[in-house]
Amino acid sequence: VWTFTPKSADSIGIEVAAGNLTDSNGDFIYTFKWSDGVNVLSKAVTIGYSPAGSAYAAYGSRAVIMGGNNRNNVIDYYDITTPGNASDFGSTVATVVHGTAVSSGSRVVYTEYSPIKYATLVTATTGNATAFGDHYISTYYRQNSVTDGSRGVFGGTDNYQTNKEYITIASTGTATDWGYNSTQGRGYGGGAGNGTRGLFIGGSLSSGNNRSSNVVDYITIQVPSDATDFGDLSQGLQIRGATSDTTRAICGGGMTTSNDVFTNEIQYFTMATTGDATDFGDLTRNTNAVCTGDGIYATWNGGMTSPGPTYYTNVIERVTIQTPGNSSDFGDLYHGSDAGYGSGGNGFVASSGAAA
């Protein structure tokens, strides 16, 4: 009997940040050999390795979509595994438009536009949200987020600051200062993570909404430190959302460097290896739809479209994260929206949409 005991996610994060260990996430092949002194028998075994530990088991199937222009305080939900229309979940604490969300599976925490609050809800049952706490950052608007299922890290603000804040999803209260900076101050970006590493993807560089960034940087979610450059998108984009499984981050759509001009391009990154985005396929429309996922599928929800723009769309479309190709129609939201944010189901989704 052979037992492999990996380091904890915290230990790996600390060693990676110190430069003592190369970050790795995924599978490796170990070859076992037996010999009777004359003959040798070999067997190669693939061993799945994830520093996040429970990341595979933590994903859930329920998508929760909140807020947005004209949606006011509504929350929709649906089962990501089964195509169909969304249902009404309940209400947010107050009217919300621009924000972001993280999830532990039993709890979704989202940032509100006004007032400056977090709120939480239990994803296993429908109902209204309740208050969570306050932001540490005074200018919270246009944030994006990454999570490992226990900690949520929020970055990006209305004045394009480089600093971040974080919360422990299971514990209500005021957010804590991250203490370190992004490589570039920007808002309206996307976030994705693999349980250890979190990517902040694209975003807006100015309040004119016409200076979109192609920058992607990353952090180790349990180790506060400055963000590190990861690579670039194919073009400058204000990404409404991104999602991931434990190996691949995926994003689609977004506003280009021109106001109300959107792309239908879907792109992806291999989380363990820094580098530029790779083409995945196309959405059914040019849009800034918010994205979420369950660790197998990624869905895009609502959004404006171009040319137009057409406001308050209710379209849901879906791809399989590990299968490059174009998206297909999934169903309709209960409430159409051109802005909002989402998070996943009965386990954490390692990213959630940031409004644009």
Side-chain angles (χ1 to χ4, degrees):
V1 177
W2 297 78
T3 301
F4 293 83
T5 304
K7 292 178 179 290
S8 68
D10 289 352
S11 296
I12 291 171
I14 292 170
E15 293 299 316
V16 169
N20 299 326
L21 183 66
T22 300
D23 195 4
S24 63
N25 226 23
D27 297 339
F28 64 92
I29 297 174
Y30 193 91
T31 300
F32 294 88
K33 294 183 178 181
W34 293 266
S35 174
D36 60 4
V38 178
N39 302 302
V40 176
L41 177 65
S42 298
K43 182 177 179 63
V45 177
T46 300
I47 298 175
Y49 175 63
S50 172
S54 62
Y56 285 105
Y59 288 97
S61 62
R62 175 173 286 181
V64 181
I65 311 299
M66 295 158 282
N69 290 328
N70 91 297
R71 288 165 56 94
N72 297 320
N73 64 342
V74 302
I75 307 172
D76 290 3
Y77 77 100
Y78 58 86
D79 187 327
I80 297 177
T81 64
T82 306
N85 296 333
S87 300
D88 182 64
F89 185 100
S91 300
T92 58
V93 173
T95 299
V96 294
V97 179
H98 301 285
T100 188
V102 294
S103 174
S104 65
S106 61
R107 172 175 287 183
V108 174
V109 181
Y110 64 91
T111 65
E112 294 189 359
Y113 169 52
S114 178
I116 309 172
K117 293 287 186 182
Y118 295 111
T120 181
L121 54 90
V122 176
T123 63
T125 55
T126 58
N128 298 334
T130 56
F132 184 93
D134 294 319
H135 288 272
Y136 176 86
I137 298 174
S138 60
T139 50
Y140 56 92
Y141 179 48
R142 301 173 179 169
Q143 286 188 314
N144 55 2
S145 61
V146 297
T147 183
D148 61 2
S150 62
R151 171 178 289 182
V153 183
F154 301 94
T157 62
D158 56 340
N159 66 348
Y160 311 98
Q161 297 173 193
T162 59
N163 59 321
K164 296 179 174 65
E165 58 183 345
Y166 70 92
I167 60 167
T168 299
I169 297 173
S171 302
T172 59
T174 300
T176 302
D177 181 25
W178 180 258
Y180 297 89
N181 297 315
S182 297
T183 60
Q184 183 186 60
R186 58 195 193 274
Y188 285 162
N194 63 0
T196 300
R197 173 177 285 183
L199 272 61
F200 292 91
I201 303 170
S204 173
L205 295 169
S206 74
S207 59
N209 292 327
N210 59 358
R211 293 184 59 211
S212 299
S213 172
N214 70 341
V215 169
V216 180
D217 50 22
Y218 73 94
I219 60 170
T220 300
I221 296 171
Q222 288 293 332
V223 185
S225 62
D226 287 338
T228 303
D229 182 67
F230 187 94
D232 295 324
L233 293 165
S234 63
Q235 61 178 314
L237 291 172
Q238 296 175 46
I239 296 291
R240 284 293 302 283
T243 192
S244 62
D245 56 18
T246 55
T247 62
R248 174 175 289 180
I250 188 171
C251 59
M255 185 186 294
T256 68
T257 54
S258 299
N259 281 339
D260 292 335
V261 175
F262 309 112
T263 181
N264 68 344
E265 182 182 9
I266 307 172
Q267 307 174 60
Y268 73 93
F269 303 88
T270 300
M271 295 288 295
T273 307
T274 59
D276 295 339
T278 300
D279 182 67
F280 184 96
D282 294 324
L283 297 171
T284 62
R285 60 217 163 98
N286 297 339
T287 183
N288 65 343
V290 65
C291 180
T292 191
D294 67 348
I296 298 174
Y297 299 108
T299 60
W300 283 265
N301 305 268
M304 292 189 292
T305 60
S306 64
T310 299
Y311 291 93
Y312 313 142
T313 63
N314 65 350
V315 173
I316 307 171
E317 48 193 298
R318 185 180 75 170
V319 300
T320 302
I321 296 172
Q322 288 295 327
T323 307
N326 298 334
S327 67
S328 58
D329 182 69
F330 180 92
D332 296 327
L333 290 172
Y334 190 79
H335 304 87
S337 177
D338 76 338
Y341 40 97
S343 192
N346 303 312
F348 84 88
V349 169
S351 100
S352 42

